Amino acid sequence: MRRAIALALSYLAACSAGQRTEPFVLRIVSAGDLAPLGPSVTVTTTAAAVDLVYQSLLRPGKNGELEPAAAKAWERIAPDRIRVQLDPALSFSDGSPVQAEDVVASLAAAGLEARAAGGWVEIGRGPSRDPLDVDVLYAPVYKRSESVPLGTGPFAFVEGDARHIVLRRVQAVAGRIARVEFQAAPTTRDAFALALRGEANAILNLDDRQAELLEGVPRLRIVRGQGPHAVAVWMNASRLGPAERSALAASLSVAELARAYGNGCEPLGAASAPGNVPLGHPLQVAAPSHDPALPRTGLALRRILGPRGGDLVVEPSAPYLARLRARDFDLAMRTVIAWPPAVLGLFTHTGGVFNWGAYSNPRVDQAFDRGDASAARDELRRDPPLVLVCRRERIAAVDSRIHDATLGTWGQLETLPDWEVSP
Amino acid sequence: MNRRQAATRLAVLVAVSGLLPIAAVGAISLEVMRRNGEVSARRALKAVAEQAAARVGGYVAAQKETLRAVAAAVAAAPDRDQRRRLEEVVLDAPSLGRVTMLGPEAPDSDLPPHLSRAGVDQARGGQEAASPVYIDQDLTPKLDYCVPARARAGHAVCAQLDMLELWRFVQRIRVGDSGYALAFDREGKLIASGAGALRAAILTGEAVPQAGTALAAVRDPAAAPGRYQGPLGEEVLAGWAWVPDPGWAVVVEQPAREALRTARAAQAILGVLAVLALAVSVALGVWQSLRMLAEMELEERWRTAGRIAAGVTHDLGHRVAILAQTAGLAETGDVVFLPRIRDNLRSEVNTLRKFVQDFADLSRDVKAIERMPLDLNAFAESIGKTATIHAVQSDVAVAVARAPQPVWVRGDRYLLERAGLNLLSNAVEASPRGGEVRLEVERDGEWAVIRVVDRGHGIDAERLERLFDAFKSTKRTGAHIGMGLPNVKRIVEAHGGRVTVMSEKGRGSTFQVTIPASEPPARPAAITPRPTR
């Protein structure tokens, strides 16, 4: 009898051991073709793969301050100049060590000036008008190879095309995800059908309503987290003067706008009673149609404006962006990156890559240039180019065997390497 | 059979006669409980489905009513405000989605996405129109609905009714651990599912196994089955309800094993209790029977001891009286009495020896190991000779009639001799002087028969009935305590046989012993007559 029990126990142990060694594969499905993987890709679900394969020298810390990522340490040596210490143990996914020249080349490709000296690399602004800190955040370290550039992240590219991208973990860790496969479905409907049928076990970038379709599905778990994006009312500085923008910003009820947007968007800004809308001509409001919540928020904005609420122009993405670039709007509903605070410089720094409202404030520029996001934010409150309405929630559904899945505040899947999985 | 076996038989007899009917009633109760359990479970599921259907129906009705109110307000507004009012309806009534007012000249692009121009015209004509439920681009369910704009003739107000609430109602229904709800439209298409595994069918529009049943349920909810194979291959119980206005059906399904778990647990408990009760009853019965039998046995022992004491007292008292008389004769010192004294002493010693032998026989049991092959012909010759020695004194002849072939039995020779000599002795005593006692042997099929026949005075009919009862001697001559014939019966039955008697008053008696015959031994055992004691 004892022998039988011992045999049964050893069999069970063998079975469970076998299950533990089975590599866990996360299959992430999304709609539409995938962009080719590369260090600077920010579009399609490929952007999530970039988080896993590439690392920048610095990343935003918990409170938005910069902290080392691929670098060992960093310091600001001048208002517009920083230096980073390289980590001698850092290597690319093929095992080759990261050389100072690789870092300098990566930074140069991101439009930054870089110079290596004694294990440190000095970085200064290049031709870009964006804040230096932000450019460093968006400059991953990589090395060119025959196929996809090699990164220093925990995952490496295996294969891929417009329909799929396969990543493998560089160093296997027991009880963690070993492989990530990105699948492209023709439509959002097909993507959800694949997830519901169990042919994929993760789906990203859900909105609140879509998440309801996946609520209660035993194989999946809904994961929510705060992302860097915020909904904003953008004001055209070429049409609206500082005083009017300031008065308008004070008159908008952020809570009401956030409620109109819905989707668990957390209101930003003061809860104090809004002031009166300044008198003037009706203001045209532009909104893109690709996110149905933005036109709805635009309607709410127009209603808050009362007699000053003019036409609401709802357009697909391309004409909407063209309108913004042509500064053919008074107010626009827009999604901006509001975290870490330094990134807001992309939208507000004079000549910033996304500053389409002709806003220019030397004090804001100087604050961002010296890395003082707090001072920049104070100045932006005094002379606002936009009103931040609410911080958008990130929602994803992942395999329910993953115990502690969380979504990164900066890179959506930056926490994925630490997710614990059960067999 | 020992005392415990007797007690167990007694207890089981009580159980069978008393508790089996109870067990039968219990079984019937269990079956009734099982059936009632299923009916009750289905009724509970139906109640949940009806509640869900009522909520869904109420929600849809409320949306339509809101749209009617919006249509009335918008149609009555001045033209310049109309477009803006229509656009902003979504802020106050988000579930109405995009609201439009459509006149006869409305372009196709303004029509609701899933309602035809004919449907819109129907609404413009005064009759409300609805599209089927469909999944919109944002992957949520919608329903296009148009109502007449009463204040503006020839116009209709249309909206995309948000049916996400339908999903919420249905998905939040949980019955037990794994019971869920489904909703179907009037075409039998799945439009909401509490079972995650079926939700892909909502997006793709593919049919689910319950679609046919749903169609039938929409037409006649009472005809919908309450038990069938569920979508996950498991037997489910189901409760159906109908949402009259949109014409949808709601079903709440629960795996049968789970729905009936409580009823089955109750059945099991009842069954176990019944078995326990039965076991306790039998155990108590056995215990009480053992006690009762022990008391009866003790009582019977005392009664037997009393009978033996009475017999011994009577018989020994007689012997003592004779010995006292003989002693009196001896005390006279007269030699004339010597022959009589000698005869008396010899006779009384023989009688007392027989008395002792009868008691000795009582203590000897028949054991299988002591059974040996025995030829009844030789056996009869042997005991016939032994009996003749005593019979001669009574002037009675003993004749042996052998069977034509050897008749073999297996037996305890000593005890069979005791039984045979007892019968012969009785027959000699019952025979008149000059009479004859016959000892006959024969084989009757599987049986060996040995008969002792006398032509004596016979036995009274009333005595025949209790002839073989212990301590019930029919002779009462003073030399018998009534152990002889009961001992014969005991010995014969111990050999698997039986003893019978036929007697006719004044014509004699025949005692017949029948025991199982056996095959002759490979080497016939030598028959060596043993001296009688």
Side-chain angles (χ1 to χ4, degrees):
Chain A
M1 185 64 183
R2 281 184 187 168
R3 180 176 291 181
I5 292 170
L7 277 172
L9 287 174
S10 59
Y11 175 75
L12 286 174
C15 286
S16 58
Q19 284 174 332
R20 270 200 300 275
T21 54
E22 189 77 18
F24 190 98
V25 181
L26 190 70
R27 295 185 178 86
I28 301 172
V29 66
S30 59
D33 285 352
L34 296 164
L37 183 65
S40 305
V41 175
T42 56
V43 293
T44 76
T45 312
T46 305
V50 172
D51 295 339
L52 300 172
V53 176
Y54 302 101
Q55 288 178 303
S56 296
L57 290 166
L58 304 177
R59 68 179 167 213
K62 194 176 283 181
N63 297 317
E65 77 288 359
L66 297 185
E67 65 177 28
K72 193 173 180 183
W74 81 282
E75 61 184 9
R76 192 177 300 278
I77 54 177
D80 59 350
R81 204 158 188 83
I82 63 172
R83 68 171 190 161
V84 295
Q85 185 183 19
L86 301 181
D87 182 354
L90 190 67
S91 62
F92 290 109
S93 57
D94 65 350
S96 60
V98 174
Q99 306 290 346
E101 304 84 69
D102 299 319
V103 176
V104 169
S106 300
L107 293 168
L112 292 160
E113 282 181 4
R115 187 170 58 86
W120 290 77
V121 173
E122 275 189 32
I123 308 168
R125 287 180 63 181
S128 164
R129 303 295 305 276
D130 296 327
L132 173 65
D133 295 8
V134 178
D135 280 347
V136 175
L137 277 180
Y138 281 105
V141 177
Y142 64 92
K143 183 172 78 172
R144 299 207 176 279
S145 73
E146 286 181 3
S147 60
V148 168
L150 302 175
T152 59
F155 284 81
F157 175 81
V158 177
E159 59 177 25
D161 55 25
R163 310 301 306 158
H164 80 298
I165 293 174
V166 179
L167 308 180
R168 65 165 174 81
R169 199 172 187 114
V170 176
Q171 288 184 326
V173 180
R176 300 287 193 279
I177 293 168
R179 195 175 167 94
V180 180
E181 296 177 6
F182 292 85
Q183 301 174 26
T187 65
T188 309
R189 190 178 295 222
D190 295 319
F192 273 74
L194 286 171
L196 286 166
R197 287 194 190 114
E199 293 169 41
N201 56 358
I203 186 164
L204 308 177
N205 303 320
L206 307 176
D207 66 31
D208 234 11
R209 293 164 63 85
Q210 290 171 335
E212 296 209 27
L213 186 60
L214 303 177
E215 287 280 4
V217 176
R219 288 186 308 274
L220 297 173
R221 175 182 301 154
I222 302 293
V223 184
R224 294 170 188 268
Q226 208 168 39
H229 297 93
V231 174
V233 178
W234 193 258
M235 295 181 279
N236 187 347
S238 67
R239 290 187 182 177
L240 304 169
E244 188 167 17
R245 277 187 275 117
S246 188
L248 277 172
S251 69
L252 299 183
S253 167
V254 167
E256 192 174 335
L257 292 172
R259 192 163 48 247
Y261 187 81
N263 286 315
C265 199
E266 186 186 336
L268 294 166
S272 56
N276 293 325
V277 177
L279 298 175
H281 62 87
L283 299 170
Q284 182 206 50
V285 179
S289 60
H290 68 82
D291 178 359
L294 284 176
R296 192 167 62 237
T297 316
L299 283 170
L301 172 64
R302 189 178 69 178
R303 188 152 76 174
I304 289 170
L305 293 172
R308 288 209 70 185
D311 288 341
L312 173 68
V313 183
V314 179
E315 296 167 311
S317 291
Y320 165 80
L321 290 175
R323 180 183 293 275
L324 261 58
R325 286 196 177 100
R327 300 173 186 169
D328 182 15
F329 68 98
D330 294 321
L331 303 172
M333 297 310 308
R334 189 175 174 189
T335 301
V336 299
I337 304 172
W339 190 93
V343 183
L344 209 51
L346 295 173
F347 300 84
T348 57
H349 195 283
T350 304
V353 65
F354 299 128
N355 185 357
W356 299 326
Y359 178 78
S360 180
N361 182 332
R363 290 184 184 177
V364 170
D365 294 349
Q366 287 163 12
F368 277 127
D369 287 346
R370 65 174 184 270
D372 189 351
S374 177
R377 194 167 51 200
D378 290 344
E379 185 59 25
L380 286 172
R381 280 200 197 102
R382 199 189 60 75
D383 176 22
L386 51 78
V387 176
L388 293 175
V389 173
C390 58
R391 184 101 171 257
R392 276 175 52 178
E393 195 178 28
R394 271 179 168 159
I395 309 175
V398 300
D399 195 302
S400 57
R401 290 171 296 171
I402 300 170
H403 302 304
D404 54 353
T406 55
L407 298 175
T409 311
W410 179 239
Q412 186 168 197
L413 296 183
E414 65 188 4
T415 57
L416 180 145
D418 298 326
W419 293 357
E420 283 185 26
V421 297
S422 57
Chain B
M1 187 191 307
N2 59 30
R3 194 152 61 89
R4 180 168 292 280
Q5 287 169 330
T8 306
R9 278 178 66 173
L10 195 60
V12 169
L13 189 67
V14 170
V16 168
S17 59
L19 294 179
L20 271 191
I22 295 172
V25 170
I28 292 166
S29 305
L30 287 174
E31 178 61 16
V32 169
M33 188 186 279
R34 187 186 69 78
R35 292 188 183 185
N36 280 349
E38 181 160 339
V39 169
S40 163
R42 276 199 235 165
R43 200 174 292 144
L45 294 173
K46 187 172 172 58
V48 175
E50 282 170 348
Q51 285 173 19
R55 291 190 69 182
V56 169
Y59 176 76
V60 174
Q63 297 312 303
K64 290 178 180 175
E65 193 53 44
T66 305
L67 183 60
R68 289 182 200 114
V70 166
V74 171
D79 283 352
R80 58 188 162 78
D81 292 342
Q82 206 171 71
R83 193 171 69 87
R84 194 163 175 151
R85 281 195 175 211
L86 283 169
E87 283 177 349
E88 291 180 8
V89 165
V90 70
L91 295 175
D92 300 314
S95 59
L96 292 189
R98 177 170 165 262
V99 182
T100 52
M101 178 174 285
L102 302 173
E105 308 300 329
D108 286 349
S109 59
D110 281 0
L111 296 181
H114 286 78
L115 202 58
S116 65
R117 183 170 286 280
V120 175
D121 288 347
Q122 175 187 317
R124 290 195 305 105
Q127 199 176 347
E128 295 179 358
S131 75
V133 172
Y134 61 92
I135 303 299
D136 200 16
Q137 287 179 341
D138 67 351
L139 297 189
T140 58
K142 300 275 171 48
L143 173 73
D144 293 343
Y145 202 73
C146 289
V147 298
R150 303 281 178 204
R152 196 171 286 250
H155 283 71
V157 174
C158 300
Q160 264 189 312
L161 303 187
D162 183 5
M163 288 290 119
L164 192 62
E165 203 62 23
L166 165 71
W167 280 4
R168 291 178 183 144
F169 287 150
V170 171
Q171 287 177 198
R172 284 173 192 163
I173 293 172
R174 279 280 170 270
V175 181
D177 292 333
S178 42
Y180 52 84
L182 306 172
F184 296 88
D185 69 4
R186 61 175 70 240
E187 307 301 325
K189 200 173 82 177
L190 185 66
I191 54 175
S193 167
L198 294 181
R199 278 189 214 151
I202 299 174
L203 297 181
T204 60
E206 63 195 271
V208 295
Q210 295 97 326
T213 312
L215 260 178
V218 167
R219 288 173 191 137
D220 179 11
R227 187 182 186 116
Y228 47 81
Q229 199 78 7
L232 306 176
E234 196 174 15
E235 192 87 358
V236 294
L237 299 187
W240 290 84
W242 189 44
V243 189
D245 181 11
W248 299 339
V250 175
V251 60
V252 177
E253 296 177 349
Q254 189 178 20
R257 59 168 170 78
E258 184 184 294
L260 301 175
R261 191 182 293 153
T262 309
R264 283 184 179 151
Q267 283 175 278
I269 290 169
L270 189 61
V272 168
L273 285 178
V275 170
L276 277 178
L278 199 64
V280 168
S281 300
V282 170
L284 280 175
V286 169
W287 180 55
Q288 283 295 333
S289 301
L290 281 172
R291 278 187 59 184
M292 207 166 67
L293 283 172
E295 287 171 7
M296 286 169 66
E297 193 176 280
L298 189 63
E299 200 176 317
E300 184 60 26
R301 279 181 187 166
W302 278 111
R303 200 172 290 135
T304 303
R307 282 206 301 268
I308 292 173
V312 168
T313 304
H314 179 271
D315 288 353
L316 289 187
H318 194 67
R319 301 276 81 76
V320 167
I322 293 171
L323 288 174
Q325 284 177 2
T326 306
L329 291 175
E331 283 170 356
T332 61
D334 191 344
V335 294
V336 176
F337 295 124
L338 280 176
R340 191 169 166 193
I341 291 169
R342 181 198 65 213
D343 290 346
N344 278 359
L345 288 174
R346 189 172 285 152
S347 169
E348 289 314 308
V349 165
N350 282 339
T351 301
L352 288 173
R353 185 179 286 145
K354 183 169 173 35
F355 190 85
V356 170
Q357 278 176 346
D358 280 353
F359 270 95
D361 290 348
L362 281 176
S363 65
R364 176 161 176 148
D365 284 333
V366 178
K367 295 175 185 165
I369 197 168
E370 292 178 6
R371 292 187 189 183
M372 304 293 289
L374 192 65
D375 177 10
L376 278 192
N377 280 336
F379 174 77
E381 293 282 6
S382 171
I383 63 171
K385 282 179 186 168
T386 305
T388 300
I389 297 167
H390 302 289
V392 167
Q393 293 173 5
S394 303
D395 194 19
V396 174
V398 176
V400 176
R402 294 167 60 99
Q405 300 293 329
V407 180
W408 289 93
V409 296
R410 288 185 68 83
D412 182 328
R413 183 184 178 87
Y414 171 75
L415 286 177
L416 286 177
E417 267 184 11
R418 295 295 307 147
L421 287 173
N422 193 301
L423 293 176
L424 280 172
S425 168
N426 287 346
V428 168
E429 284 178 21
S431 298
R433 296 187 74 84
E436 182 190 65
V437 171
R438 285 179 62 77
L439 190 57
E440 299 172 354
V441 178
E442 69 175 43
R443 172 142 183 176
D444 181 11
E446 298 297 313
W447 298 93
V449 180
I450 186 164
R451 274 186 220 97
V452 178
V453 183
D454 70 65
R455 297 292 175 224
H457 45 69
I459 305 166
D460 292 337
E462 65 271 19
R463 285 184 180 170
L464 278 176
E465 290 174 11
R466 308 184 68 182
L467 196 62
F468 294 102
D469 290 355
F471 312 111
K472 299 285 183 187
S473 173
T474 58
K475 293 182 275 194
R476 291 292 179 204
T477 58
H480 300 83
I481 58 170
M483 287 303 299
L485 287 176
N487 213 14
V488 169
K489 185 184 178 196
R490 186 178 71 88
I491 292 166
V492 171
E493 286 180 350
H495 281 80
R498 63 195 177 97
V499 57
T500 57
V501 60
M502 287 185 301
S503 183
E504 195 175 343
K505 196 66 182 164
R507 303 196 64 175
S509 305
T510 300
F511 284 80
Q512 177 172 298
V513 171
T514 310
I515 54 178
S518 70
E519 293 301 313
R523 289 171 61 188
I527 303 300
T528 307
R530 293 172 61 176
T532 56
R533 285 186 284 179

